[in-house]
Structures are given as structure tokens and as C-alpha cells.
Amino acid sequence: MANESFSRKDFLKKVSLFGMVAAGSSAVLSACGGGESTSTEQTAGEPTAAADPCSDLSGLSDQDKQMRTSLGYVKAGTDPEKRCDNCNFYVAPAEGSPCGGCTLFKGPVHPEGYCNSWIAVPAKTS
Ligand code: SF4
């Protein structure tokens, strides 16, 4: 019986200690800005979504963002011969928009962008 009482007391101490650790971790994360995410994945020094609408990922899910990353999408490729706007998967911008799209993933695409799935638009035969 005494042993059972001790176990309950020990359990309550551990639960109390866990609560303090959890609260402390939460406070540290809040102070660091952790635990929250921005909707445009911007870091210091990068243009805002208003200045660069083709980088605004605010309407995308984490899975959609992951797809862009896994394909190696970048907003400006290094080979001028391989750009989104001459890729077979490119979707031309809607009138008045600077951003196109891609049939492989969701979200805006820079015309001068690039990813690992780039493939040339087939030459027309006539
Ligand atoms: Fe751009 Fe890649 Fe999509 Fe082609 S497949 S349009 S290179 S993002």
C-alpha cells in the first residue's frame, strides 16, 4: 500500500516536471519565432510577395511546396537555353500576370525559372 502511494506521488511529480519542461520549450520557441511559419517562405533580403508575385506561395499546401522543392525549381536558371517559358510543361501567364504556371506542380512560376524536369517544346512539323 505504501509503495502504491509512493508511486502515485512519484507519477504526479513527473507529470508536473513534464509540464514545466513543455512550457519552457514553448517559451523558447516563441522567443525564437519557431513553431510558426510564414506563408511566402521569405527570408531576410528576399523580395516581398508584392514585389515578386511569382514567389508568393501563400496559397499552397506544404505538400505543394515540397513538390516544387523536390523538382529543384528555381526562379532563375543558369542556362539561358533552358527556361520555364520554353519548356513543354510551361503554362503561359494569364493576361496581366507576370507569372506562368507548370503542369507538374501548383503555384506561380517565373518565366525565366527552371527545374530538373525541363524538356524542350517539341519542334513543329509541317
Ligand atoms: Fe519550369 Fe520545370 Fe515546369 Fe518546365 S517542368 S515549366 S522547367 S518548373
Side-chain angles (χ1 to χ4, degrees), residues 73 83-84 87 89-90 101-102 104-105 109 113-115 117-119:
Y73 172 76
R83 299 166 38 121
C84 287
C87 172
F89 296 118
Y90 186 63
C102 176
L104 301 184
F105 54 75
V109 167
Y114 171 80
C115 88
S117 296
W118 181 91
I119 186 167

Side-chain angles (χ1 to χ4, degrees), residues 1-90:
M1 197 65 149
N3 226 2
E4 187 175 308
S5 175
F6 176 77
S7 294
R8 185 178 302 147
K9 186 189 274 184
D10 192 41
F11 172 77
L12 290 174
K13 278 184 185 175
K14 286 181 179 177
V15 168
S16 176
L17 180 61
F18 176 76
M20 287 191 296
V21 169
S25 298
S26 178
V28 169
L29 280 174
S30 294
C32 295
E36 294 181 21
S37 61
T38 60
S39 58
T40 57
E41 295 183 340
Q42 292 171 352
T43 58
E46 289 192 12
T48 63
D52 184 7
C54 302
S55 292
D56 182 7
L57 307 181
S58 59
L60 301 182
S61 68
D62 289 344
Q63 188 176 8
D64 293 335
K65 293 174 188 173
Q66 179 58 38
M67 179 62 114
R68 297 168 74 94
T69 302
S70 67
L71 292 177
Y73 172 76
V74 291
K75 66 182 184 181
T78 56
D79 183 347
E81 301 297 316
K82 295 180 178 179
R83 299 166 38 121
C84 287
D85 60 3
N86 66 7
C87 172
N88 198 39
F89 296 118
Y90 186 63

